[in-house]
Amino acid sequence: MQMQDLNGKVAVITGASSGIGEATARLLAAEGVHIVLAARRRDRIEALVEELGNQATAIETDVTDNSQVEWLFAQVKDTFGGLDLLLNNAGLGIHAPFTDSSPEQWRGMIDTNLIGLLNCTHAAIPLLKGRPGAMIASVSSTGGRYGVEGWSVYCATKYAVVGFHETLRKELGAEGIRVSVIEPGAVWTEFGHNLPEQALRERREALDALHAEDVAQAVVYAFAQPPRVLVQEILVRPVKQVAP
């Protein structure tokens, strides 16, 4: 297989304190990529820096706060001069029938899943220009393709992510910036924190759910393609997840 040599490239991962973000950081670091870990939980990303050593940097960031996002990417520019991969992974899902949900819950999901992603993407684009194989990759969901009961607002944010990426791909393609969206099904992560733990475990065991590392491999596969190649969309779900 003809893949890019990723050694020496620079990546920013949001939501890097657990799950898919954490797993992708480990996998990219093993390929020689320097990882900038961005998340609200400073202790978690600093612990990951201790594990990855000089391959990683931790910057506490709330992606919903554009001033924090601008500071994050200013640090990336000052330290590295540019960026090769932005992985928009920070996300929030709150389970509730729409009639039982609240405006505060809607805003929380929209601010994190959509506004936060837009903040980071807007700040990253100038640093991606002129870098061969540069990529913006975002973690969406099967819920960005199919409506799922109890997740109406979450699904709405993920549909928006897919639509945004389809348009952004057309805007940035001529500059050689690749735009890719990853759509996982059920995964063993902290996602779904407001659901009973036992119910989550039973569902994921029944589906033989993906591990975070499985999704991380999809991200790295897309990023490691030759610069002329765009893997535009990856839908990855457990074999046993035969319905959305």
Side-chain angles (χ1 to χ4, degrees):
M1 296 178 68
Q2 298 298 312
M3 310 293 272
Q4 280 197 79
D5 179 3
L6 301 182
N7 189 57
K9 292 188 178 293
V10 179
V12 170
I13 299 177
T14 68
S17 58
S18 65
I20 294 167
E22 182 181 5
T24 305
R26 289 195 176 99
L27 199 54
L28 286 171
E31 296 293 327
V33 178
H34 190 96
I35 314 298
V36 179
L37 306 166
R40 293 179 297 178
R41 293 183 289 183
R42 177 189 290 273
D43 59 329
R44 296 288 296 269
I45 54 177
E46 287 181 344
L48 189 52
V49 167
E50 289 185 13
E51 174 188 331
L52 300 178
N54 61 9
Q55 288 295 117
T57 302
I59 300 181
E60 182 180 357
T61 309
D62 181 345
V63 298
T64 68
D65 183 338
N66 196 45
S67 63
Q68 292 188 36
V69 169
E70 289 179 348
W71 191 85
L72 164 67
F73 286 95
Q75 299 307 301
V76 173
K77 182 178 180 180
D78 290 346
T79 304
F80 302 105
L83 179 65
D84 300 293
L85 171 66
L86 167 63
L87 175 61
N88 288 307
N89 172 69
L92 174 64
I94 299 175
H95 179 270
F98 183 69
T99 53
D100 297 335
S101 63
S102 68
E104 290 74 19
Q105 291 174 328
W106 311 339
R107 291 189 192 99
M109 287 182 277
I110 292 168
D111 285 350
T112 302
N113 300 350
L114 185 56
I115 301 301
L117 180 148
L118 298 178
N119 287 340
C120 292
T121 301
H122 193 263
I125 288 171
L127 305 186
L128 293 162
K129 291 183 177 181
R131 309 273 286 200
M135 173 175 280
I136 298 162
S138 296
V139 178
S140 179
S141 168
T142 53
R145 294 170 61 116
Y146 312 98
V148 184
E149 295 91 339
W151 298 97
S152 54
V153 178
Y154 173 78
C155 289
T157 65
K158 293 304 186 178
Y159 268 85
V161 168
V162 173
F164 171 66
H165 277 64
E166 169 61 14
T167 306
L168 190 67
R169 173 185 69 82
K170 297 172 181 178
E171 294 182 2
L172 298 182
E175 298 192 57
I177 299 175
R178 303 179 295 174
V179 178
S180 182
V181 65
I182 315 297
E183 299 159 316
V187 188
W188 285 102
T189 69
E190 295 178 356
F191 181 81
H193 62 275
N194 68 311
L195 288 171
E197 184 176 346
Q198 184 61 26
L200 279 173
R201 176 171 292 278
E202 289 175 357
R203 177 176 184 270
R204 288 166 177 169
E205 287 178 346
L207 293 175
D208 192 13
L210 303 173
H211 292 193
E213 293 79 7
D214 300 329
V215 185
Q217 288 189 84
V219 175
V220 177
Y221 169 79
F223 182 46
Q225 296 299 315
R228 67 181 180 276
V229 177
L230 168 63
V231 179
Q232 179 179 339
E233 190 173 15
I234 298 180
L235 173 63
V236 53
R237 56 168 31 134
V239 172
K240 293 182 179 180
Q241 187 176 358
V242 296

